[in-house]
Amino acid sequence: MKTFIKERGLAFFLIAVVLLWVKTYAAYILNFNLGIDNTIQKILLFVNPLSSGLFFLGFGLLFKKKLQQTAIIVIHFLLSFLLYANIVYYRFFNDFITIPVMMQAKTNGGQLGDSAFSLMRWTDVFYFLDTVILIILALKMKKPAEKPAKKSFRIVLASAVLVFLINLAVAETDRPELLTRSFDRNYLVKYLGTYNFTIYDAVQNVKSNSQRALADSSDVTDVENYMKANYDVPNNVYFGKAEGKNVIYVSLESLQSFIIDYKINGKEVTPFLNKLAHDNQTFYFDNFFHQTGQGKTSDAEFMMENSLYPLSQGSVFVNKAQNTLQSVPAILKGKNYTSAAFHGNTQTFWNRNEMYKAEGIDKFFDSAYYDMSEENTKNYGMKDKPYFKESMPLLKSLPQPFYTKFITLSNHFPFGMDKEDTDFPAGDFGDSVVNNYFQSANYLDESIEQFFNDLKKDGLYDKSIIVMYGDHYGISENHNKAMAKVLGKDEINEYDNAQLQRVPLFIHAPGVKGGRNHKFAGDVDVAPTVLHLLGVDTKDYLMSGSDILSKEHREVIPFRNGDFISPNYTKVSGKYYDTKTGRLLDDSEVDKKEDSLVKTELEMSDKIINGDLLRFYQPKGFKKVDPSKIDYTKREDSSADDQKE
């Protein structure tokens, strides 16, 4: 073997493979919480980087002389960069990068600077140290390969495939149908590795895109039959009670429900929202969970307006903006509503300038309409207080009734606030991110109170349904040690993490008695709830959600990875817990009907989105949106008054 390696000039190649293998395994152990449960998983975690190293680095053998070493170094660096990108991404999102997420970086990447840099550490340089070692070795080696090692390449390629097939076969014994029924990227990386996952993800992305080309009108029949069979009849107590009212959505950036009624040093963090949570004129849903995937804020927007689930990979806003949609603003056009979005950032962030057109939103007031001076901005755009203040003249310029939505930004990771913007005390939990969260949440609360006061002053409060929702979690699992202190627990386990996905949902409808509502619900349930309050029946629309105020409301909340929460069960990573007590259950104690429901719900939504099936479906009275007729260009001489129709 030693002679073979020497003759074939494989020494440099094998050193590169071993360095990548060891580094990747170390990264798995140090950076990712993959939930290793048994010996088979431990072995697979150690072995899976080998097939990837052999496969990708093997292509360097097709070059000759110094080019061979250069090619191996370049491939090694690219794989190292992919691994490191996953490490940084995982530190906040507890997830792995997909091809669609990489595509999103083209439009979002330049605006993610502060958050991305805050996730990097000086010790990260060690993830590229082995590449430096390879460069030094290449410079010192006197006799590089004289010709391409094509025969060696074929042997290496065959070895890589063999190792992968053995890896996959063993993985299938521990997790049957791994590649066909797993919604969870954690499983795929645990069993197959980050590099093989990227290949799998690319194949799935191509498959998803091809579904639209292959779909036809017959594909919508099964979906229509399922959704109409599961339609929830509206509650007569609430149906149409807010007919003709304006609609104002407010996305509460990164706000989680644990913050409601929470105190720091005896001071309420969110005193205004707390009042609403205890106000019998406002609905507060205390078992409401976000269901976002990789699209985060954009996923929440999509579900709120379309009552369909997000994609398993990437963002609907970025990858499916060409789809035909039947969203809330488009539906309300039939009721003579004007629609507008307000956002203190550029139009292109999350591809909103295209997606909003597909949803039929008439106007988009982005950063071009605001004073984006340094004192008014932080993180992803405009600070919430000046944002709401400057939005009021634009809002008043709209003809009524209107449908509008506001995207707040200040309460965003890493949550640091400028000193002049808050005097609220930071937390003291041994984690700067968690400590800062209480200050930025307090600032958000004050901005919402300011907005409500302005709505009342301008006569819009009593004419509008106001819907406010936490768009996704703000504090990830990486901060569980500090969060355990926040919640007064010894530790945070996976059941607790699932419960922390609760986010606030407030619905204020003029003249409608509210109060605290304990029903379990999620993002997809909001659209039918609001439309029924407005007197618009959703029975002819293909929506995944269930009216929360209906007596028939379904209280099973699917998450994008196939987990779910209901009043009975909390399913996390294949394990079932009693939702009320947190007790881990045996499979014999679990009724799997809810599993079946979750799987079907996600499949039906995916069929609609991936196949763009709504282009084949025309609800009675609905007028299809023509995005080409919507223009968000701001004229140089435009003002709030110019926006009037």
Side-chain angles (χ1 to χ4, degrees), residues 383-386 388 408 410 442-452:
K383 295 177 182 177
D384 295 339
K385 288 183 181 180
F388 279 122
T408 64
S410 295
N442 174 261
Y443 177 85
L444 171 60
D445 182 76
E446 290 180 349
S447 74
I448 296 298
E449 183 175 21
Q450 169 197 303
F451 183 49
F452 269 56

Side-chain angles (χ1 to χ4, degrees), residues 602-621:
L602 293 172
E603 286 178 350
M604 291 298 171
S605 178
D606 284 347
K607 284 182 179 180
I608 292 175
I609 297 170
N610 291 326
D612 191 13
L613 297 186
L614 294 182
R615 60 190 156 137
F616 305 121
Y617 184 76
Q618 184 70 28
K620 184 179 179 181

